[in-house]
Amino acid sequence: MNMAVALVKAGRVKVRYPAELLADDGRRVTVRAPWALDTVRDFGFVRFEPGDVFTEHFWRDRWYAVKEVRTGEGVLKGWYCDVTRPAVVGDGEIVSEDLDLDLWVSADASAVLRLDEDEFAESGLAGRDPEAARAAEAALDELELLAKMGKFGEILT
């Protein structure tokens, strides 16, 4: 079954792309989609490229989404984790609101990188919605701890 994924940031849709529904257990929705852009995005620690395949996990009750990234040949690059509000799923669409904080976990878990904390601070979320800001920071801390303890995969099973 096909679905659309809408990634929202600062109240507007940043990107919308088609994805194949793999599973929905009522809490977590898992989809697979190719890299949504026609260009390379080089972060320095990883490159997302045309042909890459993302298996994406969105939760209705957690403040993050986890995206497993593989090359078109199936080689694991790692996991890109977006701190988000809980996903809203309905009418063939997943809506995920990005809260700026991110975490990268390399395939061998040797690199666990907190990302975009400056953007999060500049977003003003802490002033506008302190409860959401606390939940976002706690989600990033949880993901980082799981990755550093070698238990990251547990949230995906």
Side-chain angles (χ1 to χ4, degrees):
M1 177 179 170
N2 287 329
M3 297 192 75
V5 176
L7 303 181
V8 176
K9 189 168 183 175
R12 67 187 226 340
V13 175
K14 190 168 68 169
V15 65
R16 176 179 275 118
Y17 53 90
E20 174 192 359
L21 177 66
L22 299 178
D24 183 352
D25 66 7
R27 276 187 67 218
R28 181 179 74 189
V29 179
T30 302
V31 299
R32 182 174 298 127
W35 171 236
L37 302 177
D38 293 332
T39 58
V40 172
R41 180 131 186 233
D42 190 342
F43 291 95
F45 50 87
V46 68
R47 289 168 50 102
F48 295 162
E49 308 171 280
D52 284 352
V53 177
F54 288 64
T55 301
E56 305 178 355
H57 306 271
F58 298 92
W59 284 266
R60 291 173 173 94
D61 62 350
R62 294 187 187 176
W63 286 73
Y64 51 78
V66 176
K67 300 168 182 184
E68 178 187 273
V69 185
R70 292 184 179 269
T71 67
E73 294 76 36
V75 177
L76 179 64
K77 291 184 175 187
W79 297 269
Y80 196 90
C81 308
D82 288 317
V83 174
T84 66
R85 291 184 188 272
V88 177
V89 182
D91 296 329
E93 183 175 63
I94 300 167
V95 178
S96 182
E97 184 182 344
D98 186 354
L99 298 178
D100 294 309
L101 294 172
D102 301 298
L103 186 79
W104 170 253
V105 181
S106 64
D108 64 1
S110 64
V112 179
L113 307 172
R114 293 171 74 105
L115 307 169
D116 303 328
E117 290 178 296
D118 54 339
E119 287 181 30
F120 178 74
E122 292 168 8
S123 75
L125 184 65
R128 283 190 325 276
D129 190 344
E131 190 173 314
R134 282 191 296 276
E137 290 169 329
L140 183 63
D141 291 344
E142 175 187 346
L143 289 166
E144 180 183 34
L145 181 62
L146 288 168
K148 287 184 173 180
M149 292 176 58
K151 296 185 176 187
F152 189 76
E154 292 178 13
I155 62 173
L156 303 179
T157 56

